[in-house]
Amino acid sequence: DYEGAIALAERFIRLNPQHPNVDYAYYVRGVSNMELNYDSLLRYTSLQQSHRDISYLKVAYQNFVDLIRRFPSSQYSVDAAQRMKFIGQELAESEMNAARF
């Protein structure tokens, strides 16, 4: 339930901004938004994500930017940076598909 996880993470961030593990809530929010972008059909077929709606990827990218900006030394920052790189490639591929169209 990614939408539920996003809602709970945002609530935790809002209610506990000084909690020592709030960086994990930022990370969960980003990963959940990233996973919302993929459905089971894409996982098991040759369809490409870049041919579909990428709005959740844009939100996930911003979530990871927030995490890295607020918590640069977090244990989740390295993975967030790698996910941002992947999202950047997906966004670029989507733009290329739009240009080809």
Side-chain angles (χ1 to χ4, degrees), residues 35-74:
E35 289 298 320
L36 269 176
N37 209 46
Y38 299 99
D39 60 13
S40 59
L41 185 63
L42 289 175
R43 294 185 192 279
Y44 302 110
T45 65
S46 63
L47 295 174
Q48 293 182 352
Q49 176 58 42
S50 58
H51 292 141
R52 300 179 49 104
D53 180 30
I54 56 169
S55 61
Y56 285 114
L57 280 180
K58 291 178 182 179
V59 172
Y61 188 89
Q62 189 58 48
N63 292 153
F64 292 133
V65 167
D66 290 343
L67 169 64
I68 291 172
R69 190 184 79 237
R70 292 176 193 257
F71 307 99
S73 60
S74 169

